[in-house]
Amino acid sequence: MVASHPRPTIKPWLPKLWRDPETLQIGIDPAGGAVVSGVDAGAASWLVGLDGSRSEAETLAAAAAAGLDVANAVGILSGLRQSGVLLSAPVDVDDLGDTGQLLPELVNLTAALTSPLHGSQALTARGRQHIVIDGANRIGVPLGALLAASGVGRLSFLDAQPVRRCDAGVGGLSLDDEGEPRVTAAQRAIRRISALEQALTQAAPHEADLVVLCQPWTVHDPLQARGMNERTAHLAVAVCQGTVVIGPLVLPGRTSCLRCAELHRTDRDPRWPAVAAQLVAAPNRAMHEPTSVLASLAAALAAAQILDHLDGIGVPEVVEATLELCPPDWQLHRRTWPAHADCGCVEPVAEPIRAAG
Ligand SMILES: [Zn+2]
């Protein structure tokens, strides 16, 4: 049974389209839309007025005033509810304050979650998250900008290198940043896109909710080398020889880790550790940098997976797996990386994997 709501409100992001002079289509997806037929001028005005400004009783009184049969109006409201066209609770944008920039995020979260209240809560939760990006480069900085623009409240970068001309990228570092510390230039890039006062933080990396590893050739878990909390969730993001590789997302103790992936690679190629060590030691050369298109794809795909993790809507696709994308087919491929028996990183009786929420 669908519970009634005191203030009937058509989801404001659904378009209202006239199929003919007496047939109103609400939304474009049959799974979350409705078609109302036999709509005369009075009914049309009444339907447009389902904006949460009136209680259910006032809505029915308005239907009568518009010349509609009340029983028919009740039936229309019931049909709209069953079609998922009406909100289960009002959207409150007032609590966003001066962060109107985030309205598209709120709309998307509200549409994805069962309740507008949950959408607002998820957006607020994003604002409390602290993400550390290891690598203020052509992928890491645009990724940080995407996360800040999506409402992630605290960001910090790890990078000791100065900006080169080839580091400039769409949504990231600029040509004017050449010679400056990458971290300083990255912070400026974030301020260009985010109105959140706390978008940048000086908090210690070990206090992060998630570390994103955007360094080239991320083939080893660098968290222990940095003395960072091995319980910190981390995600590997790279473009390797023209292929975007996102993942795995490691939830320490609960999902397979980067060492598991290395052990699987070594099973297939015993010389892999020697090759990998040379990859890690390779100089950070301009010819290894991703193209603008691949860097943007990597940043966007990584941001989508990170937000899925933060919002807790479901288990991200990159848990115990990588998502890979490359020309010429541009098809998204998912490769699984299960826990390796020789690693021992996953507790024998792991609790069910749940997103961060
Ligand atoms: Zn492992």
Side-chain angles (χ1 to χ4, degrees):
M1 179 177 177
V2 179
S4 63
H5 185 268
R7 292 188 176 274
T9 310
I10 294 176
K11 292 175 178 175
W13 54 87
L14 294 178
K16 300 179 184 68
L17 311 163
W18 289 98
R19 298 179 63 84
D20 61 48
E22 293 186 342
T23 306
L24 179 64
Q25 175 178 325
I26 304 172
I28 56 175
D29 184 353
V35 174
V36 185
S37 57
V39 181
D40 59 18
S45 174
W46 176 73
L47 282 167
V48 171
L50 298 179
D51 58 3
S53 61
R54 294 180 294 212
S55 68
E56 180 111 8
E58 291 169 339
T59 297
L60 294 178
L68 272 74
D69 178 78
V70 173
N72 187 28
V74 170
I76 291 174
L77 287 178
S78 176
L80 294 179
R81 283 199 182 91
Q82 292 178 16
S83 301
V85 167
L86 296 188
L87 285 172
S88 57
V91 174
D92 183 4
V93 298
D94 292 338
D95 60 354
L96 290 176
D98 62 352
T99 57
Q101 174 189 7
L102 299 178
L103 186 56
E105 308 299 326
L106 177 61
V107 169
N108 185 66
L109 282 168
T110 302
L113 296 167
T114 55
S115 160
L117 177 62
H118 293 158
S120 180
Q121 289 172 336
L123 191 58
T124 301
R126 285 185 186 179
R128 291 194 295 264
Q129 297 292 321
H130 175 203
I131 308 289
V132 170
I133 297 176
D134 185 0
N137 49 36
R138 284 170 69 88
I139 299 173
V141 182
L143 169 60
L146 282 168
L147 294 174
S150 302
V152 172
R154 297 187 294 160
L155 289 162
S156 53
F157 291 90
L158 299 174
D159 202 312
Q161 300 298 315
V163 178
R164 306 162 300 174
R165 290 188 72 78
C166 66
D167 293 328
V170 178
L173 303 177
S174 74
L175 292 174
D176 293 339
D177 297 326
E178 184 178 7
E180 287 198 53
R182 280 186 181 170
V183 169
T184 303
Q187 291 172 339
R188 198 158 48 233
I190 299 304
R191 291 193 189 97
R192 280 196 292 268
I193 190 63
S194 175
L196 296 176
E197 293 183 2
Q198 295 181 334
L200 296 166
T201 178
Q202 301 300 318
H206 69 269
E207 297 175 352
D209 296 295
L210 175 72
V211 176
V212 190
L213 308 168
C214 294
Q215 297 289 3
W217 306 110
T218 298
V219 291
H220 295 295
D221 188 338
L223 298 185
Q224 289 183 329
R226 289 184 180 277
M228 296 169 68
N229 189 341
E230 63 182 11
R231 304 297 295 179
T232 303
H234 48 284
L235 172 70
V237 178
V239 176
C240 301
Q241 293 189 24
T243 298
V244 172
V245 182
I246 311 298
L249 170 63
V250 180
L251 307 176
R254 298 165 58 199
T255 70
S256 68
C257 69
L258 299 185
R259 182 167 179 266
C260 287
E262 291 304 288
L263 290 171
H264 285 300
R265 289 190 178 100
T266 304
D267 287 344
R268 291 194 287 268
D269 177 7
R271 298 305 301 163
W272 171 251
V275 172
Q278 295 170 65
L279 289 172
V280 172
N284 187 14
R285 296 163 62 178
M287 69 178 64
H288 292 159
E289 294 297 332
T291 65
S292 294
V293 167
L294 289 172
S296 294
L297 284 169
L301 193 54
Q305 292 297 308
I306 291 168
L307 293 175
D308 279 356
H309 172 63
L310 299 183
D311 296 338
I313 294 175
V315 177
E317 290 292 308
V318 287
V319 168
E320 300 203 338
T322 50
L323 290 178
E324 302 186 2
L325 182 69
C326 68
D329 66 347
W330 299 107
Q331 297 293 308
L332 202 56
H333 300 279
R334 185 173 186 268
R335 181 191 293 188
T336 57
W337 298 94
H340 194 285
D342 293 341
C343 185
C345 62
V346 178
E347 297 167 3
V349 184
E351 58 186 285
I353 300 169
R354 297 184 62 181

